[in-house]
C-alpha cells in the first residue's frame, strides 16, 4: 500500500467528486490547536468551553446537602496548584454550529478517514448523532480509534515518509435517524475488479437481506460500473455504500485495501485469492443465519476494557466465531 492510496481515501479528497451520490456533508479544516487538544493525554479530560454554554452531558442535579462532605478548610491545599482552564475554540465552534443548522440540526462527525464509532458509548444518545459543538468534541476526544488517523495512518505504507497528514479535516454528515444499518455494505475492489461485497452490520441477522440478495448484488454492480470504477484512481480499495428503500445507492466512504480496513465477513487472504485469471469472481456475503452473527466486531465500550490477547475470553470467542462462519460458508445448506 502506498501513501497516495491512503490519501485518496480522505473524505475531503473524494467527497467533492462523488458529492451527488453521497450523503450531504460539510467539511472544515481543523486548527492545529484543536488537534493538540485531541492528542494531549497529559491533560485532564476536559470539554472545550462553549460560547453558548452548551453541555454534551446532562447537568448534575445540585444538592446543597451533599456539599458538606466536601468542604475544605482554607490553606489545606497548595494554592499555587490551580486547575487548568478548559480549552476554547470559538471560531471553530461557530463554524460547526452553522453547519449543524444547515444540515438540519443533527450530524455525525468523522475526521479525514475515520468516525469515532468506538466512543458512541459515552454519548447521551448512545450513537454518533450530534446537535452541538460540545457533543462533537466529546465524541472526538473520547475516541481511541481516531488516534489512528491522528498518529498512525501511514504505518502500513511501503513508502512511508510521514507519520501524519499536513492538515486534518472534520466532516459533518447529515444525520438520518431512519437509516437501516443492515442496508450498508462494504465493497472490495482488487486491480480494478469488484471481487467481494460484505454486509457491513455483521452483529445481527436480517432474513429480508437473504431474500433480496440477487437484487442487491445487481444494484451494487451497476453502481460500481457506472459511478465508481472510472472515477476513483486507485486500483485496489474498498468503498462503503447504503441502499435506500427506493433502491438508490449512496456512497458512504472509501478505505485502502488491507491494513487497517476490516474485511468483515471475508479474510484478506480470501479476497487476495479471488483473482485467479477469472473475470467473474464476485462473491456477496451476508449473515445468513444466527450462527453467522459476529458480535465481536462491534463493541460499545472503551477499547481498553477489552482483552483480546491470546487465551483471553474474547480471543476464544472470536476464534470460535471464525470457525462457525467458515463452516457456514462451506456448507451447501448455509442459510437454509
Amino acid at each position: 500500500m502506498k501513501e497516495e492510496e491512503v490519501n485518496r481515501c480522505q473524505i475531503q479528497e473524494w467527497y467533492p467528486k462523488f458529492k451527488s451520490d453521497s450523503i450531504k456533508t460539510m467539511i472544515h479544516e481543523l486548527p492545529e490547536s484543536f488537534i493538540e487538544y485531541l492528542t494531549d493525554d497529559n491533560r485532564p479530560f476536559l470539554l472545550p468551553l462553549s460560547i453558548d454554554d452548551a453541555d454534551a452531558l446532562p447537568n448534575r442535579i445540585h444538592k446543597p446537602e451533599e456539599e458538606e462532605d466536601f468542604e475544605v478548610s482554607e490553606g489545606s491545599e497548595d494554592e499555587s496548584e490551580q486547575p487548568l482552564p478548559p480549552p476554547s475554540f470559538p471560531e471553530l465552534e461557530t463554524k460547526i454550529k452553522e453547519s449543524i443548522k444547515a444540515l438540519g440540526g443533527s450530524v455525525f462527525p468523522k475526521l479525514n478517514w475515520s468516525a469515532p464509532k468506538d466512543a458512541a458509548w459515552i454519548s447521551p444518545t448512545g450513537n454518533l448523532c450530534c446537535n452541538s459543538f460540545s457533543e462533537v468534541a466529546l465524541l472526538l476526544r473520547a475516541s481511541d480509534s481516531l488516534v489512528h488517523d491522528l498518529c498512525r495512518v501511514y504505518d502500513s505504507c511501503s513508502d512511508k515518509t510521514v507519520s501524519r497528514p499536513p492538515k486534518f479535516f472534520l466532516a459533518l454528515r447529515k444525520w438520518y435517524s431512519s437509516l437501516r444499518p443492515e442496508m450498508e455494505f462494504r465493497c472490495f475492489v482488487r486491480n480494478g475488479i469488484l471481487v467481494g461485497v460484505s454486509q457491513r452490520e455483521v452483529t445481527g441477522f436480517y432474513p429480508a437481506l437473504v431474500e433480496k440478495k440477487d437484487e442487491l448484488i445487481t444494484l451494487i454492480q451497476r453502481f460500481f460500473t457506472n459511478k465508481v470504477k472510472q472515477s476513483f484512481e486507485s486500483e485496489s480499495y474498498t468503498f462503503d455504500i447504503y441502499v435506500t428503500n427506493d433502491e438508490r445507492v449512496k456512497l458512504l466512504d472509501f478505505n485502502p485495501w488491507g491494513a487497517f480496513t476490516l474485511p468483515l465477513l471475508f479474510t484478506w487472504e480470501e479476497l487476495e485469492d479471488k483473482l485467479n485469471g477469472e473475470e467473474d469472481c464476485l462473491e456477496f456475503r451476508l449473515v445468513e443465519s444466527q450462527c453467522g452473527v459476529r458480535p465481536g466486531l462491534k463493541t460499545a465500550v472503551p477499547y481498553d476494557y477489552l482483552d483480546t490477547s491470546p487465551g483471553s475470553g474474547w480471543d476464544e470467542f472470536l476464534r470460535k466465531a471464525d470457525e462457525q462462519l467458515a463452516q457456514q460458508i462451506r456448507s451447501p445448506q448455509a442459510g437454509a
Side-chain angles (χ1 to χ4, degrees), residues 155-275:
D155 283 2
S156 299
C157 294
S158 59
D159 60 345
K160 178 182 176 182
T161 59
V162 295
S163 60
R164 50 157 284 180
K167 296 179 180 179
F168 285 100
F169 294 82
L170 172 65
L172 300 174
R173 318 203 74 183
K174 184 177 178 62
W175 176 266
Y176 295 91
S177 59
S178 60
L179 290 188
R180 298 158 54 197
E182 71 270 21
M183 298 308 294
E184 186 176 346
F185 303 93
R186 173 158 293 175
C187 307
F188 301 87
V189 180
R190 182 65 170 167
N191 296 336
I193 299 174
L194 182 64
V195 297
V197 177
S198 171
Q199 181 178 330
R200 185 73 176 85
E201 172 54 80
V202 296
T203 66
F205 167 52
Y206 304 93
L209 281 186
V210 180
E211 299 173 4
K212 300 172 64 176
K213 188 173 183 178
D214 293 339
E215 177 185 340
L216 286 168
I217 197 61
T218 299
L219 287 172
I220 293 170
Q221 282 182 299
R222 185 185 305 132
F223 181 79
F224 170 68
T225 301
N226 296 339
K227 300 290 186 178
V228 178
K229 186 174 184 179
Q230 302 302 322
S231 299
F232 196 70
E233 296 177 356
S234 295
E235 285 293 310
S236 300
Y237 55 93
T238 76
F239 63 98
D240 293 346
I241 58 166
Y242 181 84
V243 179
T244 66
N245 290 335
D246 56 358
E247 299 185 347
R248 289 178 295 124
V249 179
K250 290 291 184 179
L251 182 62
L252 300 181
D253 205 2
F254 283 98
N255 283 293
W257 178 272
F260 53 81
T261 305
L262 287 175
L264 301 174
L265 295 177
F266 293 94
T267 65
W268 284 115
E269 290 77 12
E270 289 173 327
L271 291 165
E272 293 278 358
D273 290 341
K274 286 292 178 186
L275 292 180

Side-chain angles (χ1 to χ4, degrees), residues 14 41 53 59 61 97 121 165-166 182 204 246 270 274 294:
W14 66 260
D41 289 333
D53 294 324
N59 291 325
I61 298 175
K97 186 177 180 180
W121 65 275
E182 71 270 21
D246 56 358
E270 289 173 327
K274 286 292 178 186
R294 303 289 300 276

Side-chain angles (χ1 to χ4, degrees), residues 271-306:
L271 291 165
E272 293 278 358
D273 290 341
K274 286 292 178 186
L275 292 180
N276 293 317
E278 301 177 7
E279 287 294 322
D280 187 15
C281 57
L282 176 59
E283 183 177 357
F284 187 15
R285 288 190 181 177
L286 301 172
V287 176
E288 299 196 11
S289 73
Q290 289 290 357
C291 294
V293 170
R294 303 289 300 276
L297 290 181
K298 179 180 177 182
T299 56
V301 296
Y303 178 78
D304 290 345
Y305 287 7
L306 295 181

Side-chain angles (χ1 to χ4, degrees), residues 13-139:
E13 296 294 330
W14 66 260
Y15 178 75
K17 186 182 298 185
F18 295 95
K19 183 177 180 179
S20 61
D21 293 299
S22 188
I23 293 176
K24 189 174 182 181
T25 302
M26 302 187 78
I27 300 174
H28 301 280
E29 183 178 339
L30 291 172
E32 191 62 29
S33 58
F34 189 75
I35 301 304
E36 293 172 359
Y37 161 71
L38 295 180
T39 56
D40 188 358
D41 289 333
N42 296 319
R43 292 172 62 95
F45 190 110
L46 295 175
L47 289 180
L49 190 65
S50 175
I51 57 177
D52 58 4
D53 294 324
D55 195 344
L57 296 173
N59 291 325
R60 186 178 184 275
I61 298 175
H62 179 66
K63 295 182 178 181
E65 64 271 15
E66 293 182 356
E67 295 180 359
E68 297 177 1
D69 296 333
F70 298 95
E71 289 183 354
V72 180
S73 59
E74 293 185 12
S76 62
E77 292 185 1
D78 186 350
E79 296 180 358
S80 64
E81 294 183 3
Q82 298 296 327
L84 294 172
S88 180
F89 308 96
E91 292 184 9
L92 178 62
E93 180 175 359
T94 298
K95 293 177 181 178
I96 290 177
K97 186 177 180 180
E98 292 172 351
S99 292
I100 291 175
K101 183 178 180 181
L103 292 169
S106 297
V107 301
F108 69 93
K110 69 173 294 178
L111 296 188
N112 300 31
W113 292 274
S114 307
K117 292 182 178 180
D118 63 316
W121 65 275
I122 203 172
S123 167
T125 59
N127 55 39
L128 299 187
C129 179
C130 296
N131 302 306
S132 68
F133 168 72
S134 295
E135 292 177 348
V136 171
L138 174 66
L139 289 176

